[in-house]
Amino acid sequence: MSRDIKSMYPEEVKELVLEKGLPAFRAKQLYEWIHTRQAAGYEEMTNLPAKLRADLAEEYPLVTAKTVDRQISAIDGTQKYLFEMPDGCLVESVFMRYRFGNSVCISSQVGCRMGCSFCASTLHGLVRSLSASEMLEQIYAIIRETKETVSHVVVMGMGEPLDNYDNLIRFIHLLTGPEGLNLSQRSVTVSTCGIVPNIYRLAEEGFHITLALSLHAATDEQRRQIMPIANRYTIGELMEACGVYYEKTGRQITFEYSLIRGVNDSSEDARGLTRLAKPLKAHINLIPVNPVRERGYEHPDRTHVLAFKKELENNGVNVSIRRALGVDIEGACGQLRNRYVR
Ligand code: SAH
């Protein structure tokens, strides 16, 4: 059995407690300290005997995220965190305030191997996947630091969540389980570049989470130019998988579409996008591409973005423009970490 107690389900913590010959209620206390109160260490668990705390710290060290850097946007208060995991790996997370509540954007991997040409997270490849506890810890550490509540979680930071499938599923169960933070599944969004077999698997999990698909192009040819994953799965295969996801879960799918000047921002692109979105009743989220120093892309100017949006609206598509938060603190995925890795 793993020693990562923060990644354990309630029944696994119970098993551990019983194996140690302890009374069952200790399991409930432990789980509550770890997940409801987001304890940073066993020393905080004052209703447990000191000897037990010392033993557990030895046998089941708590995975904690150490804050290495924090940048706060002067414009909108968005906070970007750089966390160090127990093995020294660095990951980024973002805390955002919306009218509907506070939201945390977490990373699912250290680096990424998907190779999207506009994305900073993938520049140095994949280092490793994150455990369920390391995904939770990004949220817990932010709750500890801000002393605020978190009602929404988006898995849209570094990494490809569906390339870390088992840990992602465990993470969602722990995050939305009644014994833990108890977030509503409707407030959890998982964003994927489109690993088709795992979209089908996710559709079978019985979750009510939102699936966001990073589409970014309306034709295979165009998509292949910016996203290597498009060589593995066609847009047709993707749409079929999304259709099944929608059917099984009843959850409206979001298409993310990063607008890149001169690449995917024409009228023809808007029409292609309409043809894809309509049968699925998908919501389109337009993201003017965040220029990354290492990449040559630029976003269209504001009037062009608005015209692109208008065109989709006129076609009867449900569309919004992602509010740009934290533009002054390198809000785009992987940028803060890259500065450190450099
Ligand atoms: N791997 C997942 C989640 C991480 S990226 C995915 O591909 O969906 C979260 C979103 O930000 C994706 O839609 C991604 O394509 C987009 N993104 C990455 N770099 C960006 C940039 N420089 N500007 C705008 N959007 C970007």
Side-chain angles (χ1 to χ4, degrees):
M1 201 177 180
S2 141
R3 301 186 325 139
D4 179 10
I5 192 169
K6 199 172 280 187
S7 288
M8 291 180 193
Y9 290 133
E11 53 276 20
E12 292 168 337
V13 175
K14 195 160 166 196
E15 229 171 87
L16 176 163
V17 157
L18 295 178
E19 255 168 42
K20 286 182 79 65
L22 299 164
F25 72 90
R26 293 287 181 218
K28 197 161 174 276
Q29 287 179 316
L30 266 168
Y31 199 88
E32 196 173 303
W33 276 112
I34 295 173
H35 297 281
T36 317
R37 307 173 73 156
Q38 301 93 36
Y42 286 103
E43 63 284 355
E44 290 178 27
M45 306 182 187
T46 45
N47 57 356
L48 298 181
K51 170 80 168 67
L52 175 60
R53 283 187 264 151
D55 286 354
L56 289 170
E58 208 32 51
E59 283 175 63
Y60 298 97
L62 277 188
V63 168
T64 48
K66 199 175 105 200
T67 306
V68 178
D69 193 359
R70 180 171 80 156
Q71 312 219 340
I72 304 184
S73 164
I75 303 169
D76 52 51
T78 292
Q79 303 184 11
K80 180 138 192 176
Y81 287 83
L82 187 69
F83 289 123
E84 187 181 331
M85 292 305 171
D87 69 347
C89 276
L90 299 174
V91 305
E92 288 180 25
S93 322
V94 186
F95 173 81
M96 291 157 288
R97 288 195 190 86
Y98 289 96
R99 276 179 297 274
F100 55 74
N102 296 329
S103 177
V104 171
C105 172
I106 66 150
S107 296
S108 56
Q109 295 182 315
V110 184
C112 186
R113 59 174 175 164
M114 295 298 129
C116 299
S117 65
F118 45 83
C119 181
S121 300
T122 203
L123 284 168
H124 305 281
L126 175 69
V127 178
R128 68 173 177 85
S129 281
L130 294 175
S131 62
S133 59
E134 288 170 323
M135 288 186 254
L136 286 172
E137 235 330 84
Q138 296 170 57
I139 303 160
Y140 295 178
I142 285 176
I143 293 175
R144 288 195 295 267
E145 293 233 6
T146 60
K147 298 187 174 59
E148 293 196 42
T149 54
V150 169
S151 57
H152 289 69
V153 168
V154 296
V155 188
M156 285 194 186
M158 294 192 314
E160 168 49 48
L162 296 190
D163 187 36
N164 182 16
Y165 191 82
D166 294 340
N167 290 332
L168 175 78
I169 299 304
R170 186 172 272 271
F171 161 75
I172 295 170
H173 280 298
L174 292 168
L175 180 68
T176 62
E179 301 91 342
L181 213 52
N182 199 8
L183 237 75
S184 161
Q185 287 189 348
R186 294 191 153 67
S187 315
V188 177
T189 300
V190 170
S191 176
T192 178
C193 65
I195 300 182
V196 167
N198 286 348
I199 294 178
Y200 285 107
R201 282 172 82 189
L202 193 62
E204 299 295 336
E205 301 284 349
F207 289 147
H208 293 97
I209 61 172
T210 299
L211 182 68
L213 173 69
S214 297
L215 191 57
H216 306 323
T219 67
D220 285 320
E221 194 194 351
Q222 208 181 25
R223 197 163 189 260
R224 283 180 194 131
Q225 278 167 17
I226 50 177
M227 301 179 74
I229 191 73
N231 294 302
R232 291 263 298 279
Y233 308 107
T234 63
I235 290 178
E237 290 169 317
L238 262 179
M239 293 305 117
E240 223 172 292
C242 286
V244 169
Y245 187 91
Y246 181 43
E247 201 179 292
K248 296 250 164 179
T249 64
R251 302 286 297 157
Q252 185 186 36
I253 293 189
T254 300
F255 288 166
E256 287 159 284
Y257 195 92
S258 295
L259 278 167
I260 311 172
R261 184 190 295 182
V263 174
N264 62 1
D265 62 347
S266 71
S267 261
E268 201 184 324
D269 294 319
R271 283 193 298 275
L273 198 49
T274 302
R275 279 192 293 275
L276 297 174
K278 276 209 146 163
L280 280 168
K281 300 192 184 64
H283 176 90
I284 295 180
N285 208 340
L286 298 175
I287 318 162
V289 79
N290 221 322
V292 174
R293 196 198 308 172
E294 294 81 352
R295 312 294 199 190
Y297 297 134
E298 288 172 41
H299 54 73
D301 56 37
R302 189 75 191 163
T303 46
H304 191 91
V305 172
L306 291 172
F308 193 89
K309 175 176 185 248
K310 188 97 196 109
E311 192 159 351
L312 290 170
E313 276 170 350
N314 290 344
N315 296 344
V317 176
N318 186 333
V319 52
S320 56
I321 300 175
R322 164 93 41 96
R323 211 173 115 217
L325 289 176
V327 288
D328 52 337
I329 54 167
E330 298 195 297
C333 328
Q335 292 187 340
L336 184 58
R337 174 171 175 268
N338 283 351
R339 188 134 50 81
Y340 276 76
V341 173
R342 254 197 305 272

